[in-house]
Amino acid sequence: MKISIQVVHKLRKITGIGIMDCKKALIQSNGDIENAIHILRKKGEKIAIDRFFHHMKDGALIASVNSDHSYGTIIGISCETDFLSKSPEFLNFLSILSKQSLLFNTKIDFLRSSYNEYDSVQKMIINKMGVVGEKLEFKIFEKVDSSFVMNYTHNTNKIATLVGFSNRVNRSIAKDIAMHIAAMNPIAINEKQIPSSLMNKEIDIIKCQIQKENKSDFIKNKIIEGRIQKFILENTLMNQKFVKDSKITVGEYLGKYDKNLRINLFKRVSI
């Protein structure tokens, strides 16, 4: 199968792996980038698990919550240039839409809703395209409802998070957790919430890596068990080392504040 140089470069950009290795993996996967990444990881290449990547070349994200922190949204708009995505005009426009998005539960309802003199938010975005001279597209709409919701938008506007707690919590503590999620990109809150398809794929990768080693089956199985446990600890929110204090886990950090406090859900979006 012939693989285009554009696809090879795309895989190289995602993984940081050499061009020839990327090309070989793509040939094995019949051009499927996700499977090519899986093949490279099975060979032992260290590639981060990109779990919530949204394919927006340029654009920006923002997370907002309502006044009593009972719900929040993450929205994202794509544009054509990095220059525009960082401009105050674009980010202010995104902020206006973000506040309006809090009134709606779905992307479709939000885009169809009227805003000031505009018949719909979609028409408002189209009008803005004429002002900025670039194609704009409303790409992302995520909503979280919980007893207490905290938002965090990284200062680059390329990562945004929402986290829902079981009850009201000190805002600075809630913000710490939202920032931790942005920085450490957990797969799930705990082991039980890791998707089985992802867990099975990771186990397959670990087993393929270990089989190459010249060790007894008993030792290999022990190593496999250890690596699976390490994967769980490093990728589940409650077991991750807290980004502000690596001596404790996120679960221990929350436990210091309130042993009954639980994280119900979280959303993390990156571009």
Side-chain angles (χ1 to χ4, degrees):
M1 179 180 180
K2 187 176 180 180
I3 304 297
S4 72
I5 191 66
Q6 290 85 357
V7 176
V8 174
H9 280 299
K10 185 175 180 180
L11 179 60
R12 187 175 189 277
K13 186 177 180 180
I14 292 170
T15 63
I17 306 300
I19 287 177
M20 291 309 298
D21 286 331
C22 285
K23 186 175 181 180
K24 289 176 184 176
L26 283 165
I27 290 170
Q28 282 184 257
S29 69
N30 293 318
D32 186 291
I33 286 181
E34 186 176 341
N35 285 338
I37 292 171
H38 186 62
I39 288 165
L40 288 168
R41 293 191 67 225
K42 284 171 76 173
K43 289 180 178 178
E45 300 289 356
K46 296 187 181 299
I47 303 167
I49 306 169
D50 211 357
R51 296 170 285 267
F52 299 101
F53 183 81
H54 288 259
H55 297 284
M56 286 167 56
K57 182 182 176 184
D58 288 302
L61 300 162
I62 188 168
S64 299
V65 293
N66 66 327
S67 58
D68 68 357
H69 286 259
S70 60
Y71 55 85
T73 60
I74 297 174
I75 67 166
I77 297 179
S78 66
C79 56
E80 295 180 43
T81 64
D82 185 52
F83 176 79
L84 179 63
S85 74
K86 295 176 180 176
S87 70
E89 181 181 11
F90 182 79
L91 294 176
N92 182 59
F93 179 64
L94 187 65
S95 179
I96 291 169
L97 291 183
S98 180
K99 291 181 178 66
Q100 181 71 2
S101 73
L102 291 168
L103 303 175
F104 301 91
N105 292 320
T106 69
K107 177 180 176 179
I108 292 174
D109 287 344
F110 173 54
L111 288 176
R112 288 176 176 172
S113 67
S114 60
Y115 185 83
N116 290 346
E117 72 270 26
Y118 298 100
D119 292 338
S120 68
V121 168
Q122 182 63 55
K123 288 185 179 179
M124 182 182 176
I125 293 170
I126 291 169
N127 180 75
K128 195 67 175 179
M129 286 167 58
V131 175
V132 300
E134 289 190 20
K135 180 182 178 181
L136 306 179
E137 188 174 351
F138 191 85
K139 287 274 193 177
I140 295 160
F141 182 98
E142 298 282 355
K143 189 163 190 177
V144 164
D145 294 270
S146 200
S147 296
F148 187 87
V149 178
M150 179 52 72
N151 61 312
Y152 174 73
T153 305
H154 190 263
N155 55 21
T156 62
N157 284 91
K158 303 298 183 185
I159 303 173
T161 63
L162 292 169
V163 54
F165 297 87
S166 59
N167 46 53
R168 296 198 69 82
V169 57
N170 179 283
R171 291 189 183 190
S172 65
I173 290 171
K175 183 70 76 174
D176 280 346
I177 301 301
M179 289 173 65
H180 173 96
I181 292 168
M184 301 307 292
N185 196 11
I187 292 171
I189 296 170
N190 51 47
E191 182 180 353
K192 290 181 180 178
Q193 292 188 6
I194 299 177
S196 58
S197 58
L198 180 59
M199 193 71 245
N200 291 336
K201 185 180 286 188
E202 198 62 29
I203 291 170
D204 182 44
I205 289 168
I206 291 168
K207 285 180 177 178
C208 285
Q209 292 171 351
I210 298 304
Q211 291 309 320
K212 300 173 186 176
E213 299 187 16
N214 187 24
K215 293 181 172 67
S216 69
D217 288 344
F218 177 79
I219 296 298
K220 284 181 181 179
N221 288 334
K222 286 295 182 184
I223 295 172
I224 289 169
E225 288 175 13
R227 290 198 184 179
I228 291 170
Q229 188 60 26
K230 184 172 184 283
F231 170 78
I232 292 168
L233 293 178
E234 289 181 349
N235 290 283
T236 50
L237 176 58
M238 299 303 287
N239 293 303
Q240 284 180 331
K241 295 297 183 182
F242 182 44
V243 72
K244 284 191 170 184
D245 183 358
S246 61
K247 293 179 181 178
I248 59 173
T249 65
V250 170
E252 288 167 341
Y253 175 69
L254 285 177
K256 284 183 176 182
Y257 171 76
D258 182 350
K259 293 187 182 300
N260 295 316
L261 182 65
R262 298 288 179 268
I263 294 173
N264 292 332
L265 74 168
F266 69 85
K267 296 277 186 182
R268 181 189 186 276
V269 183
S270 65
I271 57 173

